[in-house]
Amino acid sequence: MSVSQPFADLIIMGKKTIELRKWNTRFRGEFLIHSPVAIKSDDCKRLGIDESGLRTGAIIGKAVIYDVKIYKTKKELQADKKYHFASDESYRKYGFLLKNAKAFKVPIPYKGKLGFFDIRLDDTIVRDEDITSDLFDEEYRTQWINHH
């Protein structure tokens, strides 16, 4: 799923635990976080984030959607501001509840799409069930290299 910067970084750092959307989803589980090329500069300024260090045009991490919160009023949305970081003007009805976010040490250059999408690397489709084993292999290799 594509998430604009600086929000993609806030998710993979574990600070943003609610991703707001206009649409609902039944999907639950692990997904990849894609950061599009365009950066929301106004949000960077509002949140005091230096946009020069943000990674874009790549898959930069992963997280788990474990539920969806439905906001019936702006007041309910404002009560969760410290979890979604949206501006006061923003109103999105659905909040995807996130956990277990993790940044990839090496981003995967990729052009994103709207909504959830499968990715294709070297003519191979990567699906949700493949993500966990591939990430385990990456983490294992990193730990092994750092200890030897």
Side-chain angles (χ1 to χ4, degrees):
M1 179 170 66
S2 291
V3 179
S4 298
Q5 287 288 26
F7 302 109
D9 265 29
L10 290 170
I11 290 172
I12 63 173
M13 291 187 296
K15 294 179 179 181
K16 180 174 164 57
T17 56
I18 299 176
E19 171 61 15
L20 299 176
R21 295 287 163 152
K22 291 180 180 178
W23 47 274
N24 199 355
T25 183
R26 292 182 182 181
F27 176 81
R28 301 295 184 272
E30 194 171 71
F31 70 101
L32 298 174
I33 299 166
H34 174 265
S35 171
V37 174
I39 295 175
K40 294 191 172 188
S41 296
D42 289 345
D43 287 312
C44 288
K45 288 175 190 167
R46 177 176 59 83
L47 297 168
I49 295 172
D50 177 12
E51 60 183 86
S52 66
L54 298 175
R55 299 176 295 173
T56 61
I59 297 166
I60 61 169
K62 67 167 186 142
V64 171
I65 295 178
Y66 66 93
D67 205 356
V68 175
K69 184 172 186 175
I70 300 174
Y71 293 101
K72 294 183 173 94
T73 66
K74 272 194 163 187
K75 186 176 180 180
E76 288 178 2
L77 185 68
Q78 288 296 319
D80 282 348
K81 188 171 186 163
K82 65 183 175 184
Y83 304 112
H84 58 66
F85 295 91
S87 66
D88 292 336
E89 302 86 44
S90 177
Y91 180 70
R92 303 284 189 256
K93 185 174 180 177
Y94 302 100
F96 298 175
L97 304 182
L98 309 176
K99 65 180 181 180
N100 301 335
K102 180 181 181 206
F104 291 165
K105 291 172 180 61
V106 179
I108 303 165
Y110 203 80
K111 185 177 178 180
K113 299 177 186 176
L114 295 176
F116 291 103
F117 56 92
D118 289 330
I119 65 168
R120 183 180 294 272
L121 300 173
D122 297 328
D123 296 325
T124 303
I125 294 178
V126 179
R127 301 194 186 278
D128 291 337
E129 59 269 12
D130 301 326
I131 295 169
T132 304
S133 63
D134 290 345
L135 294 176
F136 176 79
D137 290 344
E138 176 195 13
E139 188 63 27
Y140 176 79
R141 285 191 305 272
T142 302
Q143 288 176 7
W144 189 87
I145 291 168
N146 289 340
H147 286 90
H148 291 85

